[in-house]
Amino acid sequence: MTYEVEIGRGKRGRHAMPLDAVSIVPTRRTRDPEDVSLDWQIDAFKFSMPVIGAPMDSVMSPATAIQLGKLGGMGVLNLEGLWTRYEDPQPVLEEIAALEAKSFSPENTARLQQLYSAPIQPELISARLEEIRAAGVVVAGALTPQRTQEFYKTVVDAGVDMFVIRGTTVSAQHVSETKEPLDLKKFIYELDVPVIVGGVAGYTPALHLMRTGAAGVLVGFGGGASSTTRRALGIRVPMATAISDIAEARRDYMDESGGRYVHVIADGGTGNSGDIVKALGMGADAVMLGTTLARAEEAPGKGWHWGLEAAHPDFPRGDRTHVGTVAPMEQLLLGPSSHTNGTANLMGALRRAMASTGYTELKDFQKVEVYISETYTG
């Protein structure tokens, strides 16, 4: 069977689907939601929910990373963000929140570029990670591939538990005629902590990333609602297809490696609880949440959401997006909720969806039957 369609006489392409195009299907058996387990483990670290806080300044501060950790997830701090550039980033965050209230604004982008031009201070990397460690939760920090070689020793020396390498598109074989590229396989082999790496959106590049020794791969291009990668670069792979393809790469890599399991983490496109449910149903082990957690009352962005891409000095490709405020983080994740639009009690929704389809374990839920919407036109 071929999944390619003819675009024109000179080009064919695969038919791919976003999460909006699919829906999960109840089976003959249902379960009590209280019997459902949302436990998730990666490497030696166990969590009571499959949720990772995206390393974005509008989402994760040391305080919100700690809070998410105590609630049962894992917060990842952006180690190239405001928290490692400013001793006190609070005035900067307040200024960003007070910028003119529109998404597309060259003036706002120029100001973001200025604010993010302050140098990264290694001592602040150490201090922020130590603050999280002192709270007794899993310590996770993220760098882009471009900055990893420069700062990874500082990060490891600070005692990070989980190292995240996150970029728009990350490959195991970066080629450059002018710079010494990061050798991911060598880097991960020599590192003494588990590494999550991405974004990636296809079977072959994901399989190559798995072969580097990564503990997990991020599916997607990061940034979510605040990224304009599709508009600026023409790059996009719809998430339902991307997750399914990379889940298949995980299965094939298990056969190839003699049973080594690499976690697939959906990063982007999960703006409400239904999207989270479908991402896990398509084969993801966990979700990395940006927009959904940016709506928490405690979020540093104060109802605004942006990624590191928005402040890129040469080619900014992200918008500062107003996502609003929904509820405190605990209610947003665990309820109770008064919202009917899938923006709060995210884990309660996942628990009920699993119960409604007869599953009590996340790994088993990856086998759930799905339908393609009749209204989906591609």
Side-chain angles (χ1 to χ4, degrees):
M1 178 184 292
T2 178
Y3 294 94
E4 289 191 340
V5 296
E6 185 175 292
I7 299 168
R9 296 193 177 202
K11 184 70 71 174
R12 297 177 67 84
R14 281 190 64 199
H15 188 70
M17 298 178 190
L19 292 172
D20 280 349
V22 301
S23 56
I24 62 170
V25 183
T27 57
R28 65 180 178 85
R29 179 186 291 117
T30 57
R31 302 278 193 173
D32 190 316
E34 293 183 3
D35 295 336
V36 173
S37 170
L38 301 183
D39 291 351
W40 175 59
Q41 179 172 348
I42 180 169
D43 203 81
F45 303 102
K46 298 179 181 179
F47 305 94
S48 61
M49 66 175 82
V51 171
I52 302 175
M56 304 170 79
D57 285 342
S58 54
V59 180
M60 287 288 110
S61 65
T64 54
I66 291 168
Q67 185 180 12
L68 179 56
K70 290 185 174 181
L71 290 172
M74 180 174 73
V76 182
L77 191 66
N78 173 17
L79 300 179
E80 299 175 39
L82 300 175
W83 291 93
T84 60
R85 295 174 190 263
Y86 295 90
E87 184 73 40
D88 179 11
Q90 204 56 48
V92 181
L93 288 163
E94 290 173 2
E95 179 181 345
I96 293 174
L99 291 173
E100 189 177 3
K102 58 182 182 179
S103 294
F104 177 73
S105 169
E107 295 77 18
N108 287 353
T109 298
R111 185 56 183 149
L112 281 175
Q113 289 171 319
Q114 290 173 347
L115 294 171
Y116 277 86
S117 67
I120 298 169
Q121 302 178 49
E123 63 273 17
L124 287 180
I125 292 178
S126 301
R128 304 310 186 196
L129 293 176
E130 175 54 36
E131 182 181 346
I132 298 171
R133 175 169 294 284
V137 299
V138 173
V139 184
L143 292 171
T144 60
Q146 295 82 3
R147 296 277 197 171
T148 294
Q149 295 199 78
E150 183 179 357
F151 292 112
Y152 84 90
K153 197 169 187 325
T154 300
V155 176
V156 173
D157 288 348
V160 72
D161 295 315
M162 191 79 63
F163 196 111
V164 178
I165 302 174
R166 185 178 189 252
T168 303
T169 304
V170 179
S171 74
Q173 295 178 307
H174 181 67
V175 179
S176 174
E177 295 183 0
T178 59
K179 298 178 182 177
E180 181 68 28
L182 175 66
D183 186 333
L184 265 178
K185 188 170 186 177
K186 181 173 183 289
F187 175 80
I188 291 173
Y189 178 79
E190 294 178 350
L191 210 60
D192 200 25
V193 297
V195 176
I196 296 172
V197 62
V200 66
Y203 172 93
T204 300
L207 187 59
H208 281 280
L209 282 182
M210 291 173 186
R211 288 170 178 162
T212 66
V217 294
L218 299 172
V219 183
F221 301 113
S226 63
S227 175
T228 57
T229 299
R230 180 184 187 184
R231 184 175 69 214
L233 300 180
I235 295 174
R236 176 180 177 259
V237 178
M239 281 295 284
T241 295
I243 295 168
S244 178
D245 280 353
I246 294 172
E248 183 71 2
R250 175 186 59 203
R251 187 180 73 94
D252 290 347
Y253 178 68
M254 281 186 68
D255 292 340
E256 173 188 304
S257 63
R260 184 173 182 273
Y261 191 91
V262 178
H263 293 262
V264 173
I265 301 162
D267 180 14
T270 50
N272 57 52
S273 57
D275 293 332
I276 293 170
V277 169
K278 290 186 280 187
L280 295 167
M282 294 306 298
D285 295 287
V287 290
M288 177 171 274
L289 301 182
T291 300
T292 42
L293 293 184
R295 299 185 184 119
E297 288 180 4
E298 304 90 337
K302 302 182 184 299
W304 289 91
H305 185 42
W306 67 92
L308 201 58
E309 304 93 339
H312 193 282
D314 302 317
F315 193 65
R317 52 193 183 277
D319 291 328
R320 169 182 162 271
T321 306
H322 189 254
V323 296
T325 298
V326 170
M329 185 185 291
E330 183 171 0
Q331 289 183 25
L332 194 145
L333 286 168
L334 303 176
S337 170
S338 301
H339 296 270
T340 60
N341 58 358
T343 59
N345 197 3
L346 304 176
M347 294 301 100
L350 174 59
R351 195 181 296 276
R352 287 182 176 277
M354 290 175 61
S356 297
T357 52
Y359 294 93
T360 59
E361 302 290 335
L362 288 168
K363 282 277 197 304
D364 293 333
F365 184 61
Q366 294 172 350
K367 305 169 189 171
V368 69
E369 185 179 356
V370 298
Y371 282 168
I372 300 168
S373 172
E374 288 184 10
T375 61
Y376 174 65
T377 62

